[in-house]
Amino acid sequence: YAVLGALLYLLLPPELRYRTAVAIAAAALYGAIDEIHQGFVPHRVSDPYDVASDTMGAAIACCWCAWLLAADTRCRRALPWLCLGAAV
């Protein structure tokens, strides 16, 4: 679910105000639906703690992506010559 959370975060438009929260909520909803489905599968158990761990994995990945993208933006603003070095 960390990969799902990261992909959802990266697929959402950057202009979206609550981009991280929307990505986490979508991953949590998918995890909850998956657990409901598992309740109907023989020899499988639906566990709310599994939904919580799925949501935490997605949240950590979304926050990590947001931090990386913000750090990249800060570095580009602070050190514009780094971007020029790639073109040389």
Side-chain angles (χ1 to χ4, degrees), residues 35-59:
E35 286 301 311
I36 292 169
H37 172 261
Q38 284 184 14
F40 295 108
V41 176
H43 309 293
R44 298 293 302 260
V45 177
S46 180
D47 187 13
Y49 289 112
D50 196 20
V51 176
S53 65
D54 295 341
T55 303
M56 286 304 297

Side-chain angles (χ1 to χ4, degrees), residues 8-35:
L8 286 170
Y9 179 84
L10 294 173
L11 287 174
L12 289 171
E15 302 83 28
L16 188 62
R17 183 174 180 159
Y18 299 107
R19 183 179 180 188
T20 305
V22 170
I24 293 170
L29 179 64
Y30 185 80
I33 291 171
D34 184 41
E35 286 301 311

